[in-house]
Amino acid sequence: MSRPPQCLIVPDTGSAYGGKHTGEAAVKAALLSRASGHPVRLVWTREEEFTWAYFRPAGVMEITSRTQSDGKVSAWRHDNYNSGSAGIAMLYGVPGAETHFHRSDSPLRQGSYRTLAATANHFARETHLDEVAHTLGRDPLEFRRHNLRDPRLRAVLDAAVETFGWKPELNRNHNGRGIGVALGAKKGSVVATCAEVAVDRATGSVRVVRVVQAFECGAVLNPEHLKGQNEGCIIQGLGGALFEQIRFENGRITNPRLSSYRVPRFGDTPKIEIVLLDRKDQPSVGGSETPIVTIAPAVGNAIFAASGVRLRSLPMIPDGLRV
């Protein structure tokens, strides 16, 4: 006897940033329906999703570099353990730069995040470069310009800095107000972000005051939509940069719901200005992911400028800045 035809109905839902890649709820609904012989509706609660779905891959990045007396970076090695190779390529003119991704067995389920590992790799690279610049006594903006070879990256950097109004004195005084910059590239597009932060050393609070981001992804077809993608990337990226963190105790998640898992709020949103470089001479390329990769390092570099505290892990201030 043949089985009656079966179908799976998945209603329209919002975006999931990777949460639908494996279709686990749909697969389990189909298995339950086949076993019971009846239609099944399966809905995961937020707590179930937090507990049983996968996490963004954790990772450890190690970077070693060498500079010449003229400020040129002459050697570079970037090792990423576990989180992935996306965005690991060296963006600056370093001959023979080495990048390596090392796979590992994770005790936790892990899956994709917006731009995959590019956010982590950009944070590591742009934080390291900023630290090298300060160690050499150089302005981080001029240090980046001195080592750049890619004209597209230079163009977005110049556009972001001009709109932002870079003031070198705000990058080294450690007086509670600081600025930072970061560069990025992914999916054929390039981005530069400048951020200004205010730090209260007495309370450890950090407020992102202002963000200016310049973005180029070839020919722009819908500028307002593209600006919305940039703004969404910046706000989402602030969560991972500053406070989004899964907490564990005795093998259990202690914050498996949005009431206890800190996400960006309206009060966390800085003044945002987007500068689009419209290249009608170039084909359109990826525009919805690349803008997220530079907000964390730009903010982290600004926190150092404001406080003198260098933060090298994400999220940077889940419990406030410890100074």
Side-chain angles (χ1 to χ4, degrees), residues 295-306:
I295 184 63
V299 168
N301 295 338
I303 290 173
F304 173 78

Side-chain angles (χ1 to χ4, degrees), residues 186-248:
K186 183 77 167 60
K187 293 186 176 292
S189 52
V190 292
V191 62
T193 302
C194 296
E196 179 180 357
V197 305
V199 173
D200 187 330
R201 296 179 69 92
T203 64
S205 67
V206 174
R207 182 168 60 91
V208 183
V209 178
R210 186 166 63 109
V211 172
V212 172
Q213 183 160 281
F215 184 60
E216 190 257 283
C217 60
V220 177
L221 305 181
N222 187 329
E224 293 307 311
H225 177 71
L226 185 57
K227 285 182 178 180
Q229 289 284 356
N230 274 256
E231 291 169 357
C233 278
I234 289 169
I235 295 170
Q236 182 186 356
L238 283 174
L242 297 176
F243 35 68
E244 285 193 47
Q245 182 182 58
I246 296 290
R247 300 178 186 271
F248 296 90

Side-chain angles (χ1 to χ4, degrees), residues 257-278:
R257 55 186 72 88
L258 291 178
S259 59
S260 54
Y261 180 87
R262 179 79 157 84
V263 295
R265 304 165 182 157
F266 283 115
D268 300 311
T269 305
K271 179 181 179 182
I272 298 174
E273 188 169 355
I274 306 298
V275 180
L276 299 180
L277 279 65
D278 189 1

Side-chain angles (χ1 to χ4, degrees), residues 56-289:
R56 170 188 182 178
V60 173
M61 268 66 68
E62 294 180 346
I63 297 179
T64 56
S65 64
R66 183 172 62 244
T67 57
Q68 300 174 162
S69 58
D70 62 355
K72 294 285 188 182
V73 180
S74 57
W76 182 269
R77 178 174 175 131
H78 182 160
D79 290 273
N80 176 304
Y81 297 88
N82 186 65
S83 60
S85 60
I88 199 174
M90 184 52 171
L91 304 181
Y92 300 82
V94 182
E98 293 183 51
T99 58
H100 304 276
F101 165 54
H102 308 275
R103 298 184 181 276
S104 61
D105 294 326
S106 171
L108 299 173
R109 298 185 61 218
Q110 52 187 22
S112 58
Y113 177 82
R114 199 171 193 173
T115 74
L116 306 173
T119 47
N121 285 319
H122 277 76
F123 176 74
R125 181 182 59 250
E126 293 297 307
T127 299
H128 181 88
L129 282 168
D130 202 78
E131 192 162 358
V132 170
H134 280 284
T135 300
L136 297 175
R138 290 176 173 262
D139 176 67
L141 169 60
E142 293 308 319
F143 181 70
R144 284 173 170 82
R145 280 177 169 158
H146 189 54
N147 283 280
L148 268 181
R149 296 292 180 270
D150 188 321
R152 294 177 68 207
L153 283 167
R154 182 176 289 274
V156 289
L157 178 61
D158 290 345
V161 167
E162 181 180 356
T163 302
F164 185 75
W166 185 266
K167 298 179 180 178
E169 64 272 17
L170 285 178
N171 193 255
R172 57 175 177 261
N173 288 340
H174 307 329
N175 61 358
R177 201 84 167 190
I179 59 176
V181 64
L183 279 171
K186 183 77 167 60
K187 293 186 176 292
S189 52
V190 292
V191 62
T193 302
C194 296
E196 179 180 357
V197 305
V199 173
D200 187 330
R201 296 179 69 92
T203 64
S205 67
V206 174
R207 182 168 60 91
V208 183
V209 178
R210 186 166 63 109
V211 172
V212 172
Q213 183 160 281
F215 184 60
E216 190 257 283
C217 60
V220 177
L221 305 181
N222 187 329
E224 293 307 311
H225 177 71
L226 185 57
K227 285 182 178 180
Q229 289 284 356
N230 274 256
E231 291 169 357
C233 278
I234 289 169
I235 295 170
Q236 182 186 356
L238 283 174
L242 297 176
F243 35 68
E244 285 193 47
Q245 182 182 58
I246 296 290
R247 300 178 186 271
F248 296 90
E249 185 176 338
N250 297 322
R252 300 181 69 86
I253 299 172
T254 61
N255 60 335
R257 55 186 72 88
L258 291 178
S259 59
S260 54
Y261 180 87
R262 179 79 157 84
V263 295
R265 304 165 182 157
F266 283 115
D268 300 311
T269 305
K271 179 181 179 182
I272 298 174
E273 188 169 355
I274 306 298
V275 180
L276 299 180
L277 279 65
D278 189 1
R279 293 288 305 274
K280 296 300 186 188
D281 60 321
Q282 297 292 328
S284 301
V285 289
S288 63
E289 292 192 345

